[in-house]
Amino acid sequence: MSTNIETIAVNRNDGTPATLGDYAGKVRLVVNVASKCGLTPQYEGLERLYEEKRAAGLEVLAFPANNFKGQEPGTDAEILDFCTTQYNVTFPLFAKLSALGDDRHPLYTALVEAQPEAIGEGPFRERLKGFGVERENPADVLWNFEKFLIGRNGQVVARFSPDVKADDPRLVAAIDAELAK
């Protein structure tokens, strides 16, 4: 039986303990983020999505990870400062964790187990291969800004490739479908 994602211990950006269960009954978009990535401007779209759909029950939950070419080297305090000053992020930001490898956080192990394939997979994976980045396990998180959608019931319902932006019709439709439940 798979792990209950709602009960996995994580820490908020300020170090206080939390779980995804703290957001029970809401639709959650879990995103591994980084400050020094070519995809970092996605923070802007994620914040806009959060502002537009928060009242309907969406939570964007950002988990900084330094697994991808060292693109999130900062401390939790530095990451918070960057996100708030550069992108006016107001959605919940969590403490840095590992989304890949031997030290992968249990949350990411459970997310990948629940949803091993990403929507929008393809072009970005091929582009990374050109830079010598290839995942042995195709189910592993590919890069920064991969998105996992968790329904109000706590089940992982979809996963989106890093290059699927917050305004992508596939992501918006999946979020709207979950919000309607």
Side-chain angles (χ1 to χ4, degrees):
M1 185 173 164
S2 63
T3 305
N4 180 349
I5 286 176
E6 303 272 281
T7 62
I8 297 170
V10 293
N11 288 318
R12 296 182 196 284
N13 178 269
D14 65 4
T16 58
T19 67
L20 295 192
D22 296 344
Y23 303 92
K26 300 217 175 176
V27 173
R28 289 148 285 184
L29 187 65
V30 173
V31 187
N32 60 298
V33 296
S35 302
K36 299 187 182 311
C37 174
L39 300 177
T40 300
Q42 284 194 30
Y43 271 123
E44 189 176 320
L46 290 168
E47 178 61 27
R48 192 167 37 255
L49 180 69
Y50 181 61
E51 289 171 10
E52 289 170 4
K53 299 190 180 288
R54 180 180 184 186
L58 176 68
E59 289 290 342
V60 174
L61 307 176
F63 290 87
N66 195 37
N67 298 101
F68 308 98
K69 297 279 187 190
Q71 294 181 343
E72 189 52 272
T75 65
D76 288 329
E78 290 168 338
I79 294 165
L80 176 63
D81 181 62
F82 173 82
C83 289
T84 54
T85 60
Q86 297 300 309
Y87 291 99
N88 298 315
V89 165
T90 62
F91 51 78
L93 191 61
F94 290 81
K96 192 157 61 168
L97 54 64
S98 179
L100 183 71
D102 293 340
D103 65 340
R104 181 170 65 183
H105 192 279
L107 173 62
Y108 271 84
T109 298
L111 290 168
V112 167
E113 236 174 59
Q115 203 61 243
E117 290 185 33
I119 295 167
E121 183 60 60
F124 196 72
R125 184 177 295 272
E126 291 306 311
R127 208 166 91 213
L128 287 174
K129 283 181 186 176
F131 293 102
V133 176
E134 213 167 336
R135 300 277 166 256
E136 284 182 34
N137 180 350
D140 283 344
V141 171
L142 181 60
W143 203 252
N144 303 306
F145 291 91
E146 194 144 324
K147 299 152 194 78
F148 290 85
L149 184 62
I150 301 170
R152 293 183 192 273
N153 63 1
Q155 299 300 307
V156 182
V157 295
R159 175 178 175 180
F160 296 87
S161 180
D163 52 342
V164 172
K165 294 179 182 171
D167 61 353
D168 186 293
R170 297 168 294 185
L171 176 60
V172 173
I175 290 170
D176 287 344
E178 290 304 312
L179 288 171
K181 292 182 182 178

